[in-house]
């Protein structure tokens, strides 16, 4: 199917609703008109710190051309141009004329896939526009903010045949992948429970040194802090939940059924502001809405329970709060301690250090690409997530973390918000696969 024919197809299917009740197909479009010798053309929306990392990894990947990028921050544009120049790469087309400049970029014929790394409120609309333009979409976490947006992603992917990948890098953590390997091999027996989350002080991210946030601030303080002011919800669930979802075959023989969520009082941000700026600082008087610790409990159709914790407004080290428990053993990672107990192999009532088990069950991806990955961001995991998206474009296939994962994992945010607002009432997950989860097969991270 040519690009022009594909665009006609997209308009027809979107108007008629064709494909909305089937598992998403892939439009076998081949590479864009300007691709040569199997080279794929990748473009970017958002080239701040996170996006620029994706640009760098794509630019040094064999068979990839960075065709264009879009960002309205002059500093980010200049830094990206310099980085590509230093790598000896040709300067791509740049789109920076206003918030909707990305729509002009998406009209280009010489783009196969687009990586989106922008503030959260733009993720869904940009991913939808990318798929409607007939291009593979990859979107940073979380992929959606509301249940409506979750459905927008699914419906658009199904209608257009364009894949949408959620760029959850923690799914590629070496220790988490070793645990996944063990789960798949039955080392824990039948898994019954997991715990995960995002426990990480973001106080110096939500505020600049002068306590500024919002318009005129720098970095994520420009937009991220506003979510803590306006939403009492787990606004960042996927780092912890993604690996557990993969282990439990969510959307592939299993699915999230419902959750309940509870939030503590919201005092952490106010306390931080008073310590830095005094009790009379105007921000200390703001009605911060997000509870400092939000705890959600998810029940799956196969009977497992998952505890998900959001804890970013208090001073503490980083932790995924990771725990997997089965009939034959348990593993637990928390604040730098990684331990495991396997019945019949560990001494009774005693923890083993996890490292020896990780070495034994190291995932094949890390065995093969570990040395290359270690030079990448976040301990190497960023290498794998960028690599998977590029490979899915090259191979014209669905990514291992697909649009159903993007929707289900991101749905925790609006569902937790609704549960907290109604006294921790159960909130049911939509079946974004429309029943196809029953027959969909587990995927292998390759």
């Amino acid at each position: 199917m040519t690009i022009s024919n594909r665009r006609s197809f997209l308009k027809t299917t979107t108007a008629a609703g064709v494909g909305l009740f089937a598992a998403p197909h892939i439009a076998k479009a081949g590479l864009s008109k300007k691709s040569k010798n199997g080279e794929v053309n990748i473009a970017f929306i958002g080239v701040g710190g996170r996006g620029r990392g994706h640009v760098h990894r794509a630019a040094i990947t064999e068979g990839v051309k960075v065709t264009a990028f879009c960002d309205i921050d002059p500093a980010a544009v200049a830094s990206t141009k310099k980085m590509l120049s230093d790598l000896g790469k040709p300067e791509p087309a740049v789109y920076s004329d206003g918030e909707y400049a990305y729509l002009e970029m998406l009209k280009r014929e010489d783009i196969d896939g687009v990586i989106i790394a922008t503030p959260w409120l733009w993720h869904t609309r940009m991913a939808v526009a990318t798929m409607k333009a007939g291009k593979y979409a990859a979107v940073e976490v979380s992929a959606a903010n509301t249940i409506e947006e979750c459905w927008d992603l699914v419906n658009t992917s199904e209608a257009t045949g364009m894949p949408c990948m959620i760029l959850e890098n923690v799914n590629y953590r070496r220790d988490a992948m070793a645990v996944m390997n063990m789960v798949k091999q039955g080392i824990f027996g039948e898994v019954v429970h997991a715990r995960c989350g995002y426990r990480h002080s973001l106080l110096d991210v939500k505020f600049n040194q002068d306590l500024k946030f919002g318009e005129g601030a720098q970095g994520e303080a420009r937009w991220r802090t506003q979510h803590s002011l306006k939403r009492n919800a787990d606004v960042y669930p996927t780092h912890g939940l993604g690996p557990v979802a993969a282990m439990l075959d969510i959307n592939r023989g299993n699915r999230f059924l419902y959750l309940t969520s509870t939030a503590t009082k919201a005092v952490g941000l106010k306390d931080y502001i008073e310590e830095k700026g005094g009790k009379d600082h105007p921000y200390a008087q703001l009605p911060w809405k997000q509870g400092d610790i939000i705890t959600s409990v998810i029940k799956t159709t196969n009977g497992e329970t998952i505890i998900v914790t959001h804890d970013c407004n208090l001073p503490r080290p980083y932790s995924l709060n990771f725990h997997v428990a089965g009939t034959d053993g348990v593993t637990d990672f928390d604040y730098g301690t990684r331990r495991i107990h396997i019945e019949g192999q560990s001494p009774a009532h005693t923890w083993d250090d996890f490292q020896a088990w990780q070495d034994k069950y190291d995932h094949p991806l890390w065995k093969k690409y570990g040395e290359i990955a270690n030079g990448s961001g976040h301990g190497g995991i960023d290498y794998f997530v960028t690599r998977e998206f590029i490979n899915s474009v090259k191979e014209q296939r669905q990514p291992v973390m697909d649009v159903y994962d993007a929707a289900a994992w991101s749905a925790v945010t609006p569902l937790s918000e609704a549960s907290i607002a109604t006294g921790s009432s159960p909130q049911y997950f939509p079946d974004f696969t429309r029943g196809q989860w029953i027959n969909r097969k587990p995927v292998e991270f390759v």
Side-chain angles (χ1 to χ4, degrees), residues 261-377:
S261 298
T262 305
T264 69
K265 55 189 174 181
V267 296
L269 298 184
K270 176 181 172 66
D271 183 71
Y272 178 78
I273 293 164
E274 290 180 349
E275 285 183 2
K276 298 293 184 180
K279 292 188 177 181
D280 294 330
H281 193 285
Y283 292 169
Q285 318 309 317
L286 292 175
W288 297 99
K289 195 166 185 179
Q290 185 182 61
D292 294 330
I293 300 178
I294 295 172
T295 306
S296 301
V297 180
I298 299 174
K299 186 69 177 288
T300 72
T301 56
N302 286 356
E304 302 95 351
T305 55
I306 307 166
I307 297 175
V308 187
T309 304
H310 181 273
D311 179 4
C312 298
N313 294 342
L314 301 172
R316 62 183 75 265
Y318 176 88
S319 174
L320 283 179
N321 206 35
F322 185 66
H323 179 95
V324 175
T327 55
D328 291 339
V330 60
T331 189
D332 191 272
F333 302 172
D334 205 6
Y335 296 119
T337 299
R338 303 184 308 160
R339 53 191 184 172
I340 187 171
H341 176 90
I342 301 298
E343 184 180 28
Q345 300 187 57
S346 305
H349 307 290
T350 302
W351 290 103
D352 288 337
D353 181 77
F354 183 75
Q355 187 61 51
W357 290 86
Q358 177 178 305
D359 294 343
K360 183 177 180 179
Y361 290 98
D362 199 16
H363 194 276
L365 272 179
W366 275 97
K367 290 181 179 179
K368 186 172 183 180
Y369 299 106
E371 290 188 14
I372 302 173
N374 282 332
S376 185

Side-chain angles (χ1 to χ4, degrees), residues 21 29 85-86 98 109 174 211-212 228 231 233 235 240 242 250 254 294 312 322 353-354 374 378 394-395 410:
F21 296 97
S85 176
D86 290 346
E109 297 280 349
R174 192 164 198 163
L211 287 179
K212 183 176 289 186
S228 300
R231 304 192 74 176
V235 296
I250 298 301
N254 195 9
I294 295 172
C312 298
F322 185 66
D353 181 77
F354 183 75
N374 282 332
H378 291 93
K394 286 182 175 181
E395 298 163 14
S410 301

Side-chain angles (χ1 to χ4, degrees), residues 168-239:
E168 184 42 76
N169 59 353
V170 179
N171 276 54
Y172 289 96
R173 263 183 59 150
R174 192 164 198 163
D175 48 12
M177 293 196 85
V179 173
M180 181 171 65
N181 212 11
M182 295 173 69
V183 168
K184 301 298 185 182
Q185 294 186 39
I187 304 302
F188 294 99
E190 185 172 352
V191 174
V192 300
H193 177 71
R195 186 184 69 231
C196 60
Y198 192 62
R199 312 193 77 173
H200 181 198
S201 174
L202 294 180
L203 295 169
D204 59 353
V205 172
K206 293 185 178 183
F207 300 97
N208 294 161
Q209 287 189 347
D210 57 0
L211 287 179
K212 183 176 289 186
F213 76 93
E215 187 174 353
Q218 299 299 312
E220 293 184 20
R222 284 179 290 184
W223 54 269
R224 187 168 189 156
T225 319
Q226 200 73 12
H227 291 264
S228 300
L229 182 62
K230 299 291 187 179
R231 304 192 74 176
N232 196 6
D234 183 339
V235 296
Y236 207 60
T238 71
H239 276 342

Side-chain angles (χ1 to χ4, degrees), residues 9 55 60 80 88 154 313 343 386 395 418:
F9 166 77
V55 175
I60 62 175
T80 305
V154 170
N313 294 342
E343 184 180 28
T386 306
E395 298 163 14

